[in-house]
Amino acid sequence: SQKIEQNSEALNIQEGKTATLTCNYTNYSPAYLQWYRQDPGRGPVFLLLIRENEKEKRKERLKVTFDTTLKQSLFHITASQPADSATYLCALDFPLSSASKIIFGSGTRLSIRP
Amino acid sequence: DAGVTQSPTHLIKTRGQQVTLRCSPKSGHDTVSWYQQALGQGPQFIFQYYEEEERQRGNFPDRFSGHQFPNYSSELNVNALLLGDSALYLCASSPTPRASGNYEQYFGPGTRLTVT
């Protein structure tokens, strides 16, 4: 079955530094890979989507890379701020003819210290 | 414009009971997916509804069932509750699958279900 591994349960970063989160998967490469942010007690919030034929996607201070050979995606937050502290989830997206099936990783808890 | 709404916010049930959770999608969205999120874990896909039909299902037993109404709102029903069903249940809506080219899902705040 498809498995997703996100790097260590928690990541602590000094404010201003770049935070890098890892998402590794086994078996099939998804057509799309998504990243979400989740704050305690709230639903996930969509951040970025990258397609299998794209190497990199950027949005403001966020950057996502997707390597289907390594079966890995990296999620970067540059100039990190304490407000970036949250759990970040990667999700594999397998589109079907009339539906889609999305598989989430267990998330990485990111803490940015001032 | 209201986002995805879910009710109730919290719920406490006893083993063996049945529960119904409700979801209203974001305006303009016609596809609803349900997820179960245990503490410290990522959301687990339960099923997806589109055009009032279940289109895709995750690895959940038949005790989990759903429904989508003509106005696109949806219900999740769980029968014969087990202690292990205690979790945050999330509803997510999205536009018509793949048709619009917009793939992001909008999640509601979730319903916290506790089974005792």
Side-chain angles (χ1 to χ4, degrees):
Chain A
S1 62
Q2 197 77 21
K3 292 186 179 179
I4 305 171
E5 288 186 1
Q6 294 192 239
N7 61 324
S8 62
E9 291 185 3
L11 196 60
N12 293 295
I13 300 291
Q14 179 73 41
E15 182 178 7
K17 300 291 186 183
T18 296
T20 299
L21 284 64
T22 304
C23 176
N24 295 297
Y25 60 90
T26 60
N27 298 340
Y28 308 108
S29 285
Y32 314 95
L33 192 146
Q34 303 182 13
W35 283 89
Y36 289 79
R37 168 185 173 139
Q38 187 172 25
D39 292 286
R42 309 189 74 162
V45 174
F46 173 84
L47 297 175
L48 279 170
L49 175 147
I50 187 165
R51 293 171 173 75
E52 62 180 337
N53 60 351
E54 296 177 321
K55 296 293 185 185
E56 182 179 299
K57 183 73 72 73
R58 291 175 185 263
K59 179 182 177 183
E60 298 173 350
R61 293 184 297 111
L62 309 180
K63 184 178 84 171
V64 171
T65 62
F66 191 11
D67 189 326
T68 55
T69 300
L70 293 178
K71 297 189 177 181
Q72 180 182 79
S73 175
L74 299 179
F75 177 80
H76 306 273
I77 304 176
T78 58
S80 59
Q81 305 166 1
D84 295 327
S85 298
T87 295
Y88 290 85
L89 301 159
C90 78
L92 309 186
D93 186 349
F94 297 91
L96 303 169
S97 58
S98 61
S100 60
K101 184 172 182 178
I102 297 179
I103 302 172
F104 279 86
S106 58
T108 297
R109 190 170 65 251
L110 176 65
S111 295
I112 308 298
R113 58 182 186 274
Chain B
D1 175 24
V4 180
T5 60
Q6 293 186 243
S7 62
T9 306
H10 296 87
L11 202 54
I12 300 175
K13 289 286 188 178
T14 304
R15 273 179 301 176
Q17 286 188 316
Q18 178 264 343
V19 68
T20 297
L21 310 181
R22 295 175 176 81
C23 170
S24 290
K26 179 178 169 63
S27 178
H29 287 183
D30 56 11
T31 300
V32 173
S33 301
W34 286 92
Y35 294 83
Q36 179 194 67
Q37 187 174 26
L39 205 58
Q41 299 296 314
Q44 297 289 310
F45 178 77
I46 303 176
F47 40 53
Q48 183 179 80
Y49 277 84
Y50 168 63
E51 291 186 334
E52 301 180 49
E53 289 188 18
E54 183 182 295
R55 298 290 180 166
Q56 184 62 222
R57 189 179 182 92
N59 295 325
F60 280 80
D62 292 343
R63 298 188 297 109
F64 290 77
S65 63
H67 189 78
Q68 185 178 35
F69 300 93
N71 67 352
Y72 311 124
S73 66
S74 177
E75 288 182 347
L76 165 65
N77 301 293
V78 187
N79 294 322
L81 284 167
L82 304 174
L83 294 179
D85 294 332
S86 295
L88 180 68
Y89 287 84
L90 295 162
C91 168
S93 75
S94 54
T96 304
R98 313 303 157 185
S100 64
N102 185 350
Y103 308 100
E104 63 183 275
Q105 295 187 107
Y106 289 79
F107 281 83
T111 294
R112 173 70 63 186
L113 173 65
T114 302
V115 182
T116 62

